[in-house]
Amino acid sequence: MMQSQIRPRRLRGSDTLRKMVRETRMSPESLILPVFIKEGENIKTEIPSLPNQFHYSPDRVSEAAEMALSHGVGKLLLFGIPQHKDACGSEAYNEHAALQEGIRILKERYPELYIITDVCMCEYTSHGHCGILTGNEVDNDKTLPYLAKIALSHVQAGADMVAPSDMMDGRIDAIRTVLDENGYLNTPIMSYSAKYASAFYGPFRDAAGSAPSFGNRKGYQMDPHNAREALKESLLDAEEGADILMVKPALAYLDIIRTVKDNTDLPLAAYSVSGEYAMTKAAAAAGLIDEYGVMCETAVSIFRAGADILISYYAPELADAIRKGDIG
Ligand code: PBG
């Protein structure tokens, strides 16, 4: 005979009870969908490494916005994919490049849509690294003015927020300074503050054509062994003026999300990256897992770890799941 008066199961007896005592609450308002804008015309092509994700040319990117908005996802994180690459990634700050054109089109058609842009150079450089090279090294300080110029061009095209993902030291300060000098005092920066050198970016690099042509990104992205360093990076970015911090990837770094959340006072985003999405898709296609269940449970775990915002290729499906009450 069980003696205890305390029976945790009492609160699990019905859906009503379980939903009442949920510790983790989620909202479609917290979701951001990544979208790829590719130079060209009349393009909507499925990305082989990312099932159900597409490359859109600027003239068709409205279809992505339409789809997201129809699920109640009002925030996009935009990536640009140029045709022309060079050593200094000059297409990245060309005001007529695909990304900048796409931003203008989206802003005009959907003023209510919130547009965030990824600020980086790896999609734009011929060598595929996230900055300017000196010899075979990414030159941190030479890269900073380029990042600032790129961020400014996104904001001038109409971006509501910029999200630098390059992991150069001092880039938040460099971008903040240039935005402020140009009158964009109120444009927030979401910093990829704790971004790890991760194999989970593989499908994205196929999608964006941004794999480094030599070496790797371990000289600037973080070592997966380090947790305290994630806090150091995040506090530095906060000091430089970041408005939102980010941990990336998400699923293999839930402890980092918790650490950053508990030790900083800025809103925290987590990026559930391409490899997390592609693995779920592949396992589901192989009949090994229930895709919907795994998608939901993964998202819950990221919010439970402390994220306030989730960037996910599943954002539309997650918004539906939250609205149905399956999660959140
Ligand atoms: C650009 C960038 C990357 C991702 C977001 N911004 C790739 C990288 O750092 O190699 C990855 C996103 C994903 O995997 O979904 N630097």
Side-chain angles (χ1 to χ4, degrees):
M1 237 299 260
M2 191 181 150
Q3 292 303 323
S4 174
Q5 314 276 35
I6 300 166
R7 291 176 181 268
R9 287 189 49 190
R10 277 190 206 114
L11 293 180
R12 297 183 202 135
S14 71
D15 212 34
T16 305
L17 263 176
R18 288 190 294 270
K19 283 183 180 165
M20 183 170 74
V21 300
R22 275 178 179 170
E23 296 176 35
T24 303
R25 298 287 176 181
M26 298 152 70
S27 154
E29 306 291 339
S30 312
L31 302 173
I32 300 172
L33 175 69
V35 171
F36 298 92
I37 305 185
K38 191 174 183 167
E39 186 175 343
E41 270 172 34
N42 196 25
I43 300 170
K44 182 189 174 187
T45 317
E46 191 172 16
I47 300 168
S49 61
L50 291 172
N52 204 35
Q53 304 296 317
F54 298 85
H55 285 137
Y56 297 93
S57 48
D59 57 333
R60 292 190 66 180
V61 72
S62 298
E63 294 173 41
E66 202 82 50
M67 181 279 290
L69 287 168
S70 75
H71 290 269
V73 174
K75 299 165 193 87
L76 304 184
L77 174 60
L78 301 182
F79 293 89
I81 306 173
Q83 274 175 17
H84 168 76
K85 301 183 188 228
D86 59 30
C88 64
S90 53
E91 270 296 284
Y93 48 87
N94 173 357
E95 63 172 315
H96 297 298
L99 176 63
Q100 285 81 347
E101 293 291 356
I103 297 169
R104 267 184 233 107
I105 290 170
L106 288 173
K107 265 303 179 197
E108 197 182 302
R109 292 204 192 144
Y110 309 97
E112 76 280 19
L113 190 69
Y114 197 83
I115 294 188
I116 308 165
T117 55
D118 183 89
V119 175
C120 196
M121 301 185 69
C122 61
E123 299 97 333
Y124 294 92
T125 51
S126 38
H127 45 74
H129 278 286
C130 301
I132 303 293
L133 298 185
T134 296
N136 275 348
E137 291 287 326
V138 175
D139 190 322
N140 192 90
D141 295 12
K142 250 193 212 167
T143 302
L144 296 179
Y146 284 90
L147 294 169
K149 204 151 60 163
I150 296 166
L152 179 62
S153 86
H154 294 177
V155 174
Q156 283 171 336
D160 297 295
M161 179 187 285
V162 289
S165 67
D166 51 281
M167 287 300 278
M168 297 304 119
D169 293 327
R171 86 254 211 235
I172 303 302
D173 180 55
I175 292 171
R176 185 74 271 156
T177 303
V178 167
L179 291 183
D180 288 359
E181 280 168 4
N182 285 273
Y184 297 105
L185 294 155
N186 292 321
T187 303
I189 301 175
M190 174 164 70
S191 172
Y192 286 71
S193 54
K195 176 174 176 180
Y196 286 86
S198 171
F200 284 97
Y201 308 148
F204 173 96
R205 291 181 188 168
D206 287 342
S210 65
S213 62
F214 66 90
N216 54 50
R217 304 210 202 292
K218 292 181 186 177
Y220 41 104
Q221 298 181 348
M222 284 182 56
D223 181 341
H225 297 79
N226 296 353
R228 283 188 311 238
E229 193 191 6
L231 191 56
K232 175 180 169 182
E233 282 280 10
S234 298
L235 291 171
L236 261 175
D237 287 1
E239 242 169 69
E240 289 177 32
D243 300 282
I244 298 177
L245 301 173
M246 193 198 298
V247 172
K248 175 188 173 191
L251 196 50
Y253 296 87
L254 296 177
D255 57 325
I256 308 299
I257 295 174
R258 174 50 59 194
T259 300
V260 174
K261 174 67 170 189
D262 284 347
N263 293 287
T264 60
D265 54 11
L266 294 180
L268 179 61
Y271 194 150
S272 185
V273 300
S274 57
E276 301 174 44
Y277 175 83
M279 284 197 312
T280 310
K281 282 280 180 198
L288 300 175
I289 57 165
D290 162 24
E291 181 179 10
Y292 184 74
V294 168
M295 170 191 82
C296 287
E297 194 175 327
T298 302
V300 169
S301 77
I302 294 165
F303 281 103
R304 193 187 61 232
D308 303 298
I309 298 162
L310 173 61
I311 304 165
S312 169
Y313 299 94
Y314 276 125
E317 292 84 352
L318 286 170
D320 291 346
I322 294 170
R323 216 170 296 102
K324 275 170 60 189
D326 290 339
I327 49 172

